[in-house]
């Protein structure tokens, strides 16, 4: 899959403060974009259902939305904070980190 | 092909979705099907959670002496709960501040419920209070997982100048908030979505704030009514996460934005995110409670708190909405303090101050119907 853009959103949590970021994958350092592509491939992201189960109704847990775009194609997956798949957990951690980096203070 | 979700700004009523699914264009049908699937999936998850709670119930760890027993665990930045036990009931203080905060905070929460409301722990059957600290790395959150409390350390993994959050045990009302999610799970079982979800959040904020007031023996007038004071680092322009006194004014910051909480029904936020805005619209009942408690005066946990506690325990159900909560707290105040009493009057006035009339009709949240009509091309121009 030749991913071009990723839109990431984290909502909910005790604080209820939204964290969102929109990345052009080509803007990321090579090692990060490589890791990202590998995770998406390992997850077979285009074939994932639109909604993964995993803790959404646990009070104060986070909900994540990940949209992957390639040309005119796009696919969105919504997941809770505790997806069963470890690769998905890794992907969430990576996107969280990238999103926090993007909003860092200058 | 079409396995992505076309989301609307609000969750549509099911009858409307079914209508669109049978009579709409192909694209409209697809949208409706996607939404119906989400609704059904949510319902299945709810059913599963309810049965999980029943399943857990007999195996909930019980305090050894049938009273207060706390255990604090250290997850050591991992994910497998609960982690290693590091402080048990009666143990001396640890060198780790998060461990002591979780221990002391859950103890004071137990005391408020026991001494004021006569409740023996979360399940009213001496359930042991388990807390895990140091969950994951850079975890800006705390939650109740159905059996125990879990706390992250905030942004401990970032350079000091980039940190927004401190550790989540730092404010005692957060601990009271999480434990109250447990109480709600055993009592009203409010579904964690839309208005019932916002009431679930509201109850956690009410008793979280009361735990803090009880600890400091503050009257309603002396209390700050802030939820999560001290959780933000000095990098954030804000006093806390929410305020029951003036919802919408807790923070206003260039990085994290502005506190989105409404203080009145006219500003109710229709959104699909955050399970239908459960942490947003809770501002409305939160402010009603604040107004009632201020009018009654004195220690808020004694009268206003008692009314809310009895309502949560005996009257609210899993699908209760704001109007029903208003009507039921008013009814409870009448039962506890007398019909027409000053306390009952204060509850009525509290709700009136946020735009909810006792015995009135719940206005259909604005925006939902309009969005639907616009989507199917039938909006009035
Ligand atoms: Zn909560
Ligand atoms: Zn489409």
């Amino acid at each position: 899959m030749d991913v071009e853009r990723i839109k990431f959103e984290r909502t909910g949590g005790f604080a209820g403060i939204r964290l969102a970021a929109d990345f052009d994958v080509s803007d990321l350092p090579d090692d990060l974009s490589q890791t990202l592509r590998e995770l998406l491939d390992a997850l077979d992201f285009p074939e994932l259902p639109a909604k993964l189960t995993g803790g959404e109704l646990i009070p104060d847990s986070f909900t994540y939305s990940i949209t992957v775009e390639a040309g005119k194609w796009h696919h969105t997956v919504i997941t809770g904070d505790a997806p069963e798949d470890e690769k998905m957990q890794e992907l969430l951690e990576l996107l969280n980190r990238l999103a926090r980096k993007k909003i860092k203070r200058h | 092909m079409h396995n992505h979700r076309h989301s609307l700004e609000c969750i549509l009523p099911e009858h409307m979705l079914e209508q669109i699914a049978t009579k709409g264009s192909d694209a409209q049908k697809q949208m409706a099907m996607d939404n119906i699937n989400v609704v059904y999936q949510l319902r299945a998850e709810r059913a599963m959670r309810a049965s999980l709670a029943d399943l857990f119930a007999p195996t909930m760890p019980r305090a050894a002496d049938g009273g207060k027993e706390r255990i604090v665990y250290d997850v050591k930045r991992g994910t497998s709960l609960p982690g290693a036990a590091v402080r048990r009931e009666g143990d001396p203080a640890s060198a780790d501040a998060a461990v002591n905060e979780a221990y002391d905070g859950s103890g004071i929460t137990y005391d408020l419920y026991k001494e004021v409301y006569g409740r023996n722990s979360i399940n009213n059957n001496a359930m042991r209070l388990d807390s895990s600290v140091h969950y994951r790395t850079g975890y800006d959150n705390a939650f109740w997982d159905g059996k125990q409390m879990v706390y992250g350390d905030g942004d401990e993994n970032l350079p000091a100048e980039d940190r927004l959050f401190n550790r989540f045990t730092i404010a005692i009302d957060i601990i009271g908030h999480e434990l109250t999610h447990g109480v709600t799970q055993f009592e009203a079982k409010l579904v964690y979505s839309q208005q019932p979800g916002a009431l679930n959040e509201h109850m956690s904020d009410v008793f979280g704030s009361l735990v803090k007031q009880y600890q400091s023996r503050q009257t309603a007038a002396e209390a700050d009514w802030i939820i999560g004071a001290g959780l933000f680092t000095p990098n954030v322009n804000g006093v806390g996460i929410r305020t029951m006194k003036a919802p919408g004014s807790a923070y206003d910051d260039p990085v994290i934005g502005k506190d989105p909480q409404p203080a009145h029904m006219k500003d109710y936020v229709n959104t699909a995110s955050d399970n239908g805005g459960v942490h947003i619209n809770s501002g409305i009942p939160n402010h009603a409670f604040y107004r009632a408690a201020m009018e009654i005066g004195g220690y808020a946990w004694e009268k206003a708190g008692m009314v809310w506690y009895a309502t949560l325990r005996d009257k609210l159900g899993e699908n209760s909405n704001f109007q029903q909560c208003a009507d039921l707290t008013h009814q409870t105040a009448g039962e506890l303090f007398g019909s027409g009493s000053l306390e009952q009057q204060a509850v009525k006035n509290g709700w009136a101050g946020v735009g909810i009339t006792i015995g009135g009709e719940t206005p259909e949240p604005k925006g939902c119907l309009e969005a639907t009509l616009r989507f199917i091309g039938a909006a009035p121009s």
Side-chain angles (χ1 to χ4, degrees):
Chain A
M1 182 182 43
D2 206 12
V3 47
E4 290 163 12
R5 284 190 89 72
I6 295 190
K7 288 177 184 153
F8 171 73
E9 185 187 42
R10 187 188 80 189
T11 56
F14 168 82
I17 294 171
R18 181 174 170 272
L19 175 67
D22 196 339
F23 319 95
D24 228 321
V25 176
S26 59
D27 291 345
L28 295 175
D30 286 348
D31 55 329
L32 281 180
S33 60
Q34 181 62 24
T35 308
L36 204 51
R37 281 178 221 277
E38 281 169 10
L39 282 171
L40 292 171
D41 283 342
L43 282 161
D44 199 2
F45 193 87
E47 298 305 319
L48 287 177
K51 194 165 181 299
L52 299 177
T53 49
E56 300 78 351
L57 295 178
I58 289 177
D60 297 326
S61 68
F62 290 127
T63 299
Y64 302 89
S65 165
I66 305 164
T67 300
V68 172
E69 295 180 6
K72 285 185 177 165
W73 179 88
H74 64 279
H75 182 49
T76 299
V77 171
I78 293 171
T79 176
D81 208 2
E84 278 165 31
D85 194 324
E86 273 179 37
K87 293 281 176 199
M88 182 52 87
Q89 290 191 26
E90 278 178 49
L91 178 65
L92 291 175
E93 265 172 41
L94 176 61
L95 293 173
N96 250 319
R97 221 164 54 226
L98 289 172
R100 274 304 306 270
K101 234 183 212 144
K102 265 198 117 130
I103 64 162
K104 83 184 247 167
R105 276 168 195 282
H106 294 288
Chain B
M1 283 293 114
H2 235 111
N3 57 354
H4 55 269
R5 190 176 160 213
H6 293 250
S7 63
L8 285 175
E9 282 302 299
C10 58
I11 302 289
L12 298 177
E14 281 165 72
H15 62 90
M16 217 172 269
L17 290 171
E18 276 155 13
Q19 184 81 0
I20 299 169
T22 46
K23 297 191 176 143
S25 70
D26 283 354
Q28 289 162 1
K29 278 180 184 162
Q30 186 58 49
M31 179 282 297
M33 287 313 295
D34 290 352
N35 276 277
I36 286 172
N37 285 339
V38 170
V39 170
Y40 288 161
Q41 222 167 337
L42 274 175
R43 198 184 285 158
E45 279 165 23
R46 262 170 223 164
M48 190 147 18
R49 274 210 74 72
S51 57
L52 274 181
D54 292 342
L55 214 68
F56 283 153
T59 61
M60 287 292 187
R62 197 165 187 278
D65 65 352
K68 175 160 77 175
E69 184 184 357
R70 292 162 283 180
I71 302 183
V72 182
Y73 303 83
D74 187 343
V75 206
K76 300 185 172 131
R77 306 188 157 194
T79 54
S80 55
L81 293 168
V86 289
R87 189 174 175 193
R88 294 173 182 274
E89 190 65 42
D91 283 354
S94 152
D96 183 333
V99 169
N100 296 330
E101 286 161 351
Y103 183 88
D104 294 341
S106 55
I108 295 161
T109 305
Y110 178 92
D111 294 344
L112 171 73
Y113 275 110
K114 184 70 167 59
E115 289 161 20
V116 179
Y117 306 124
R119 183 181 189 85
N120 185 1
S121 193
I122 306 270
N123 60 351
N124 198 21
N125 189 21
M127 182 177 158
R128 199 178 66 206
L129 302 177
D130 288 355
S131 316
S132 294
V133 297
H134 306 308
Y135 181 70
R136 301 192 183 179
T137 50
Y139 193 69
D140 287 341
N141 204 14
F143 63 93
W144 166 259
D145 83 341
K147 285 163 89 168
Q148 66 158 102
M149 293 149 279
V150 184
Y151 302 96
D153 285 331
D155 302 322
E156 85 289 351
N157 59 335
L158 296 180
E161 67 270 21
D162 290 335
R163 286 179 204 157
L164 304 174
F165 293 96
N166 288 311
R167 60 181 184 273
F168 275 66
T169 45
I170 206 163
I172 191 172
D173 47 295
I174 300 180
I175 294 170
H177 177 109
E178 296 310 330
L179 277 163
T180 301
H181 278 310
V183 173
T184 299
Q185 172 184 316
F186 281 95
E187 297 293 351
K189 302 182 169 67
L190 288 154
V191 164
Y192 205 63
S193 170
Q194 307 292 328
Q195 285 195 18
L199 286 175
N200 194 324
E201 273 304 307
H202 160 61
M203 290 294 170
S204 280
D205 278 352
V206 163
F207 292 101
S209 183
L210 292 181
V211 166
K212 180 174 155 186
Q213 294 174 34
Y214 182 70
Q215 178 194 37
S216 327
R217 295 299 190 272
Q218 286 175 327
T219 63
E222 288 162 353
D224 63 13
W225 296 93
I226 291 165
I227 304 296
L231 182 59
F232 283 136
T233 67
N235 294 328
V236 178
N237 181 39
V239 295
I241 304 299
R242 292 181 279 277
T243 151
M244 299 177 71
K245 183 175 182 174
S249 68
Y251 56 88
D252 189 355
D253 180 86
V255 170
I256 60 164
K258 188 180 176 305
D259 175 2
Q261 283 210 313
H264 195 280
M265 281 306 280
K266 68 177 162 47
D267 299 315
Y268 188 94
V269 179
N270 265 300
T271 173
S273 77
D274 185 27
N275 292 306
V278 297
H279 294 90
I280 297 175
N281 292 312
S282 53
I284 295 169
N286 276 359
H287 191 55
F289 179 86
Y290 162 82
R291 295 177 78 106
M294 286 296 284
E295 186 173 327
I296 293 170
Y299 293 132
W301 62 83
E302 288 182 347
K303 290 179 170 178
M306 181 61 85
V307 169
W308 256 250
Y309 174 67
T311 305
L312 175 66
R313 185 192 56 196
D314 302 333
K315 307 216 162 155
L316 293 172
E318 56 184 286
N319 293 308
S320 296
N321 61 24
F322 288 5
Q323 181 69 53
Q324 289 162 333
C325 185
D327 293 346
L328 293 169
T329 49
H330 183 254
Q331 187 189 90
T332 303
E335 289 163 7
L336 292 173
F337 301 104
S339 188
S341 59
L342 287 174
E343 290 83 359
Q344 195 188 30
Q345 197 62 37
V347 170
K348 183 179 180 176
N349 293 340
W351 288 106
V354 301
I356 297 177
T357 309
I358 300 302
E361 298 266 313
T362 320
E364 179 85 6
K366 273 207 308 199
C368 222
L369 185 61
E370 280 167 50
T372 313
L373 292 175
R374 215 178 307 121
F375 188 85
I376 63 168
S381 47

